[in-house]
């Protein structure tokens, strides 16, 4: 004789299956949580390492640019003044203070800029 299909009859006939399913969920849920936490930690660790490497690379590049800028400033700081050009332009193309024609001042200025371009690596790349 067959029993009618009800929940209690189904439970009685499949006690072992339902019990196994219950134990599976009891053990699987914490295991899944622990796995998810470990995966999250691994992803965060990889991201942190990658970002730190990027930060170190950017810092090195920035330090290099800063060093180049300081070198350029130091070079320009030690160049002789060329105020004679403005004095010569105002006085018939001759500097009245040093009695130097403007052509000599322009040559000096060209030499300064040529030397600067030869020594500045960033200008060579441009």
């Amino acid at each position: 004789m067959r029993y009618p299909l009800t929940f209690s009859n189904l439970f009685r006939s499949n006690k072992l299956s339902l019990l196994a399913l219950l134990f599976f969920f009891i053990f699987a849920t914490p295991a899944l949580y622990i796995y998810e936490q470990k995966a999250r930690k691994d992803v965060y660790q990889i991201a942190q390492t990658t970002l730190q490497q990027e930060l170190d690379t950017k810092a090195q590049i920035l330090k290099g640019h800063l060093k180049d800028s300081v070198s350029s400033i130091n070079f320009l700081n030690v160049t002789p003044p060329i105020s004679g050009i403005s004095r010569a332009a105002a006085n018939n193309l001759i500097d009245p203070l040093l009695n130097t024609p403007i052509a000599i001042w322009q040559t000096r200025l060209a030499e300064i800029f040529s030397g600067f371009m030869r020594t500045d690596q960033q200008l060579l790349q441009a």
Side-chain angles (χ1 to χ4, degrees), residues 34-44:
I34 291 169
Y35 173 76
E36 188 270 335
Q37 290 296 320
K38 184 182 178 327
R40 183 183 303 245
K41 181 182 173 187
D42 290 346
V43 168
Y44 285 152

Side-chain angles (χ1 to χ4, degrees), residues 27 37 73 76 95 107:
F27 290 114
Q37 290 296 320
I73 290 170
L76 292 174
D95 176 14
T107 302

Side-chain angles (χ1 to χ4, degrees), residues 112-125:
I112 290 170
F113 282 120
S114 295
F116 181 65
M117 289 177 64
R118 280 192 302 272
T119 59
D120 193 329
Q121 295 296 322
Q122 288 183 335
L123 291 177
L124 291 175
Q125 293 176 1

